Structure formats: structure tokens, C-alpha cells
Amino acid sequence: MAGTWVFVEQKDGNIRKVTFEMLSELKKGGDEVSAVVFGKGVEGLAPELAKFGADKVYVADDAIFASYNTGAFVAQMAAMIKEFSPNALLFAHSFNGRDMASRLAQKLDAGLATDAVAADISAGKGIFTRSIYAGKALAKVEVTGSPVLATIRPGVWEVGSTAGAGAVVKAAVAATAGDVYQVEKSFAATVSARPDLAEAAVVVSGGRGCKGPDGIKLVEQLADLLGAAVGGSRASIDSGWLGHELQVGQTGKVVLPNLYVACGISGAIQHLAGMSSSKFIAAINTDTEAPIFNVSDFGVVSDLFKVIPILVSELKK
Amino acid sequence: MKVIVCVKQTFDTEAKIELKDGKISDAGINLIINPYDEVAVEGAIQLKEKGVATEIVVITAGSDKGMDAIRTALAMGADRGILVKQDTGADEYARAVALAAAIKAENPELVLAGHVAADDGSSQVPTRIAEILGFPHVNVITNIDIAGGKATCTTEADGGTAVIEVAIPAVVSSQVSWNEPRYPSMKGIMQAKKKPVATVDAVAVDNKIKIVEVSLPAAKTAGIKIEDDADVCATKLADWMKNTVKVEVK
Ligand SMILES: Cc1cc2nc3c(=O)[nH]c(=O)nc-3n(C[C@H](O)[C@H](O)[C@H](O)COP(=O)(O)OP(=O)(O)OC[C@H]3O[C@@H](n4cnc5c(N)ncnc54)[C@H](O)[C@@H]3O)c2cc1C
Ligand SMILES: Nc1ncnc2c1ncn2[C@@H]1O[C@H](COP(=O)(O)O)[C@@H](O)[C@H]1O
């Protein structure tokens, strides 16, 4: 059996950090770790994948994989699983990762643990800890059958520095045009110089207490100073101050940064569900009773319009 | 065009989670339609109002309690319901198999679902249903247009907004920002009582996932709280960020 595989998330040759997180974490165990990359002209990514732990890099290179499409990617992966029999296969819990993993799992009549925050993979057995009820509970589940499939939440593991051999294995292209069923008519990238909310090490969020675009500007100013992503509560998203892709919480994104700064956010349970696992939490709120203070490591009861400008100049010192 | 909407009954998002005998307790919990599914129901109703959809069938798999979710969707404007009776311990695989079998029997042109269930949701069921039925699936949609045998969907993809076109019949899963679900009117609630709901038994299949243990995360404890003038607050917060968190300042 051929160890554990990590499906490489990349767009135009840029590999997402979560891929390195998965390779690094698996490399700590004894099993062979392989990266699996689909795309056009992607063989050159092998050294980068090896650097973070890939012993082998399986490459399926063809125009049909130029951009993500579920049908062709799933058909290709199913054929490769049949040929190489990996013990386990990990995907990122991302838009494409969970789409591909779920479709593949059903095609293989297999189980799949999604949104895992911890994994214990050994001897073809896989036990995963899933975050459920928006982080209000944890379920440890065993994926029975083979291969073991899971999607891993970005940010739960650290990128390491143990390299693998990175031997390239070219896979025969098994997907055909008939497998493709979706056409991407357009893609508008979110124009932002800031890091992706789901992957950022620091997130600064603004809520209703920002009172409008001027308050949000202060939040953005602090975020940019810290190289942070900007997020928001549903109140600030519904008010139109921030795009809906920036909502943090139960019906928004779940974030796991090193530092989360909540500015003018009360800390409703649905908001806490999206951020309370952050390593450090700071809160700025005028109401000493605000529930956000129950989860914050450092809270200041004060007006964000006064605090943030001083905070910014103090941090610059 | 016949539209099926998959609705799951979930805990109110306000619910505090407690364990009883190693399982999540539903004692005293208010049950609602999964917020994403409510958006899917609204989306279906709007398609009907536009003259695109002709019939809306809501379907749920689980215990009899799911009847409330069906009635709520009927009160909003769906036409009829199907309750697939299934053990509540069924995993994503077993639920998808059961739902797909019942959906297949209806021969719909469009299947709507939520992109994730807000409880122990997995973001798997709609994709699995699509695979079983051999339909395309589009995930996390914020808009849909149906014309010429095609569904054109706006989706919230990683890093941007994608417009994806697939042939129907298809499965699409909703994001909450698609629409604002309506409240059932008094008239709607009265009418819902007369709308037909069929009950069928689930296809019996074994789970692929075994739950080993359910636990609650360690409660986060409150840390330092400063109540002082803004400049004192700001200075102390800056010190904490620099010395304890060790932030990098650009
Ligand atoms: C099904 C469902 C799903 C939901 N999903 C989400 C979700 O994913 N994410 C989410 O965030 N919410 C979600 N909500 C909404 C949630 O319940 C709250 O309504 C929302 O989080 C409140 O946002 P807020 O904290 O910004 O606003 P508020 O609760 O109004 O709080 C504003 C805070 O700002 C403080 N403030 C005011 N002025 C200042 C000032 N000058 N300086 C500093 N502080 C100030 C106030 O003291 C107050 O605490 C959901 C609700 C439901 C029903
Ligand atoms: N028991 C169920 N009955 C009906 N629909 C369901 C059920 N479970 C999941 N779904 C649908 O699948 C979506 C995603 O659920 P999940 O894959 O469990 O996160 C939900 O929003 C529902 O639309």
C-alpha cells in the first residue's frame, strides 16, 4: 500500500498553504507521504512540495486539468487510487477540496470525514476529530473502509521544514472530455492586497460598533499594519460595510488565526462560533458586559474610534 | 420544472450544546430549518414566482420531528412534502443514499439544498446525491438563472466569485447571502396544513463513519480586561500585542 496522499490545491501554479500544512503534519509520522497534483505544466511544482515533506509527487499533467473541474478531477483520482492503492487521502476543507472529496467518496462508496481539526492515521486506519455545531462540539470519527478520506481545516497544522525525496511519478491521464460537466463562464477574483481570511495569521474584525464606513476604515488601517485579513460580524456585513465573503461566524467563515481582534463586536454566540478557537483574542468594546469579553485574552472597555488611532501609533513605535 | 428542496432540521443557532450519555442532548432545544436550507426554499419559491418552477417538493430524512421543517417550508410556499423515515444515526453516506432514492422517484429537473448543515453538517450530502443521480453539482451559490436547459450559477468560490454553467437536471447548494427567506404568512400556515406530505421508509444501508466520541471543547476563559481612558487602554493593548502575541508590525 502506498502511504498517505495529499491532494495539492493550486491555482496557476500557486500552491495554497494548507497543502504544505498537511504534508508537514503527515511527515511527522512514519508512513510515506505523497503529494498529488493535477494541472497543466505542473511538474515543476515537485521541488516545492518535496521541501515540505513529499516523498513522492504524483503528477497528472494535461490541458483537461488546466483549471479545477469536478468531473475530470474525480475521474482521474479514482483511476489513480485503483492503480496505486493509497491508504489514506487528505484534501483541504476548501471550496474545491470538499467538492472533490465528497464526489470522490460517493463514487468509491466510501466514508469521508470533513472539516477535520486533528487526524490519527496509521496502518490504513483513520480517526479524525471534526468540529461540529460550528465549533460548539467535537466529534471523533473513524472512517471505515479503504482508502481513508478526509478534508482538513486550513490553519490547524503548522508548516514544517522536514523535506521529502520528492520523486516524481507521472500518472497516466484517465479523465476524458466526457467527464467534464461544468463550464466556468467567469471568475472575478476578490481584489484584495490582504491575506485570505481563512488562512490569515491575524484577523481584525469590525462589527456594528464601527457605525459605518469610517469605523471600518480604522479596522482596515489596524489590519494593514498587522498584515491581517479583515473580517466582520453579520451586522456589519448586512449593513453593507463589508463584502459577505468576509463574514466570520456560524453562517460565515470559521477562522483560526494566531490573533483575532474584535472591534465593536458584541460576541453573539453565532459570531463566537467562527472565531473562539483563535489562539489569542483581543476585544475593543464600550460595553463592559459584552459577551466578547468572556472569550477574550485581552479586552479593553473603550471607544474604538479613540483606541484604534492610538493603538496604531503605539504599534508603529 | 419540478424542483426538490432538501431541508434538514437543525438546532437553533443560539442553542447551547450539552452532552448526555456521551451524545449531544436535544433536551429543551428549539429546532429550526437549517438556515441554508431556508434560503434554498426561498430560492425555489422565487423561481416559481418567476414562472420557471412549476412545483416545489420539500424532502427531509430523519425522525418524525422533521415534519415541522416540512410544514414550515410548506407554509413559506412549497407545494408538498416527503418525509424519508430514517434512523437519526445515519451518516452522510446513508442519508445521501436515502434522499437520492426518494428524489430519483420524483424525477426532478432541479434539486436545491444547503451547502452545509449548521449542526453536525458535513458539506457532503448534496454532492453525494448529485453523484448518485449522475447530475452536475454547483456549490455555495448566491444566484441562479435557468434558461435553455442550463443552470447558470453565481458561486462564492475560494478567492473570488465564479459563474458556473451546468446542464439541468442538476443539484445546487445555497449560500445564505443568496436571498432573505420570507416569514410564513398566517394564510400560508393555514394552507400548509392541507398540503400533502408523503412518508416513505429509507433505503437501508450501513454507515461508512463510526462515531468514536463526542466532546465539548475546553471552555475559553476570560483574560485581562482594562477599563480606563482610551490612551491607557490603547497603550496596554499595544504592549500586549507586541510582548505576548509577538505581532509583526508592517
Ligand atoms: C441563523 C443565524 C446565523 C447567524 N450567523 C452569524 C454569523 O455567521 N456571524 C455573525 O457575526 N453573526 C451571525 N448572526 C447574528 C448574530 O446573532 C448577531 O446579531 C451579530 O453577530 C451581531 O453583530 P455585532 O456584534 O456587530 O452587533 P451588536 O450585537 O449590535 O454589537 C455591537 C457592539 O459594538 C459595541 N460598540 C458600540 N459602539 C462602540 C464603540 N464606539 N466602540 C467600541 N464598541 C462599540 C456595542 O457595545 C456592542 O457590543 C447570526 C444570526 C442568526 C439568527
Ligand atoms: N437528513 C437530511 N434531510 C434532508 N436534507 C438533508 C439532510 N441532511 C443533509 N441534507 C441536505 O444537505 C445539505 C448539506 O448537509 P451536510 O452535507 O450534512 O452538511 C443540507 O443543507 C440539506 O439541504
Side-chain angles (χ1 to χ4, degrees):
Chain A
M1 295 265 252
T4 301
W5 286 6
V6 170
F7 181 72
V8 177
E9 279 237 6
Q10 58 93 21
K11 199 171 168 90
D12 305 324
N14 297 312
I15 301 170
R16 284 187 63 163
K17 187 166 156 247
V18 56
T19 300
F20 302 133
E21 292 166 1
M22 292 189 281
L23 290 171
S24 298
E25 178 70 15
L26 291 170
K27 188 69 184 168
K28 290 185 194 160
D31 282 357
E32 185 182 82
V33 183
S34 302
V36 183
V37 59
F38 297 174
K40 178 73 199 132
V42 287
E43 201 181 319
L45 298 177
E48 202 180 348
L49 294 162
K51 197 172 133 194
F52 297 100
D55 298 311
K56 275 191 190 148
V57 179
Y58 290 88
V59 180
D61 205 300
D62 194 85
I64 199 168
F65 306 126
S67 66
Y68 176 77
N69 76 85
T70 323
F73 276 49
V74 168
Q76 177 67 24
M77 190 59 98
M80 286 172 63
I81 289 170
K82 213 166 166 192
E83 185 177 351
F84 301 102
S85 312
N87 287 327
L89 184 43
L90 303 188
F91 294 84
H93 192 70
S94 61
F95 182 73
N96 291 340
R98 58 185 202 242
D99 179 57
M100 182 173 171
S102 311
R103 190 111 194 179
L104 177 72
Q106 190 57 41
K107 196 180 176 77
L108 302 175
D109 258 324
L112 165 68
T114 37
D115 204 7
V117 295
D120 180 4
I121 306 165
S122 56
K125 260 185 91 168
I127 295 180
F128 299 89
T129 305
R130 296 187 54 224
S131 167
I132 59 172
Y133 290 82
K136 291 184 225 167
L138 296 165
K140 210 179 234 190
V141 301
E142 181 181 345
V143 180
T144 59
S146 174
V148 167
L149 302 175
T151 66
I152 307 293
R153 179 181 291 189
V156 293
W157 291 330
E158 282 181 14
V159 176
S161 55
T162 311
V168 172
V169 182
K170 285 191 195 170
V173 174
T176 63
D179 294 317
V180 179
Y181 59 71
Q182 78 225 50
V183 184
E184 190 175 281
K185 304 296 270 186
S186 67
F187 182 80
T190 313
V191 245
S192 172
R194 299 191 182 99
D196 185 58
L197 190 55
E199 292 193 342
V202 181
V203 174
V204 183
S205 285
R208 201 192 311 273
C210 290
K211 300 193 168 80
D214 287 349
I216 296 293
K217 271 208 190 89
L218 290 174
V219 166
E220 290 175 336
Q221 206 185 342
L222 177 60
D224 290 341
L225 189 66
L226 298 171
V230 168
S233 69
R234 184 153 118 184
S236 53
I237 272 85
D238 285 353
S239 305
W241 306 335
L242 290 166
H244 53 73
E245 72 283 357
L246 298 182
Q247 181 175 319
V248 172
Q250 181 143 18
T251 45
K253 298 222 162 63
V254 176
V255 299
L256 248 174
N258 185 45
L259 173 65
Y260 187 87
V261 188
C263 310
I265 292 177
S266 61
I269 192 160
Q270 296 95 344
H271 188 79
L272 298 185
M275 45 63 74
S276 58
S277 304
S278 308
K279 186 148 179 241
F280 291 108
I281 297 170
I284 307 170
N285 196 304
T286 43
D287 175 12
T288 182
E289 301 290 330
I292 192 74
F293 290 125
N294 298 334
V295 301
S296 57
D297 300 285
F298 203 99
V300 297
V301 184
S302 193
D303 184 345
L304 70 91
F305 287 89
K306 291 185 185 145
V307 169
I308 297 179
I310 309 171
L311 176 62
V312 164
S313 64
E314 283 295 321
L315 284 170
K316 278 184 184 162
K317 276 188 192 162
Chain B
M1 181 176 77
K2 188 198 271 187
V3 180
I4 303 250
V5 189
C6 300
V7 299
K8 187 183 187 194
Q9 201 174 36
T10 55
F11 285 19
D12 190 330
T13 52
E14 296 276 348
K16 188 168 180 315
I17 305 296
E18 279 168 357
L19 298 184
K20 189 168 180 262
D21 304 327
K23 284 189 180 158
I24 287 175
S25 164
D26 62 0
I29 301 278
N30 181 31
L31 299 171
I32 58 166
I33 296 187
N34 179 36
Y36 300 87
D37 304 355
E38 204 182 2
V39 165
V41 172
E42 175 65 33
I45 296 169
Q46 289 182 11
L47 284 174
K48 196 173 172 192
E49 286 168 348
K50 279 190 211 152
V52 178
T54 48
E55 191 188 19
I56 302 167
V57 185
V58 287
I59 186 167
T60 193
S63 76
D64 288 336
K65 284 190 187 165
M67 201 57 105
D68 288 346
I70 291 181
R71 290 286 171 209
T72 306
L74 296 178
M76 285 171 73
D79 297 300
R80 60 190 171 85
I82 302 172
L83 175 71
V84 181
K85 286 187 89 162
Q86 188 171 39
D87 186 279
T88 47
D91 71 0
E92 307 72 48
Y93 168 80
R95 271 183 282 137
V97 169
L99 287 164
I103 292 169
K104 193 168 182 195
E106 287 285 335
N107 203 18
E109 280 162 283
L110 187 65
V111 180
L112 297 176
H115 87 79
V116 63
D119 50 10
D120 57 351
S122 61
S123 315
Q124 294 184 31
V125 172
T127 325
R128 285 182 179 271
I129 291 173
E131 173 66 20
I132 298 168
L133 299 176
F135 292 178
H137 174 235
V138 188
N139 215 351
V140 203
I141 76 153
T142 56
N143 196 22
I144 188 169
D145 276 316
I146 309 273
K150 284 182 175 145
T152 308
C153 307
T154 309
T155 72
E156 211 173 84
D158 285 331
T161 305
V163 176
I164 293 171
E165 186 185 275
V166 294
I168 56 170
V171 180
V172 302
S173 312
S174 63
Q175 171 61 308
V176 275
S177 48
W178 179 5
N179 58 45
E180 192 62 50
R182 69 193 65 193
Y183 287 105
S185 64
M186 211 45 223
K187 192 169 153 228
I189 295 167
M190 296 311 291
Q191 282 173 342
K193 293 188 178 141
K194 293 187 213 113
K195 290 178 178 174
V197 180
T199 303
V200 298
D201 285 323
V203 181
V205 287
D206 290 335
N207 283 353
K208 302 282 182 188
I209 297 264
K210 236 177 22 213
I211 297 178
V212 181
E213 185 190 35
V214 179
S215 61
L216 300 183
K220 186 105 192 169
T221 45
I224 301 159
K225 190 160 88 177
I226 313 267
E227 297 190 49
D228 210 321
D229 291 341
D231 53 342
V232 178
C233 286
T235 313
K236 290 196 168 154
L237 180 53
D239 285 347
W240 176 78
M241 283 186 180
K242 280 182 183 164
N243 301 324
T244 306
V245 185
K246 303 197 188 328
V247 291
E248 279 176 48
V249 178
K250 305 258 149 167

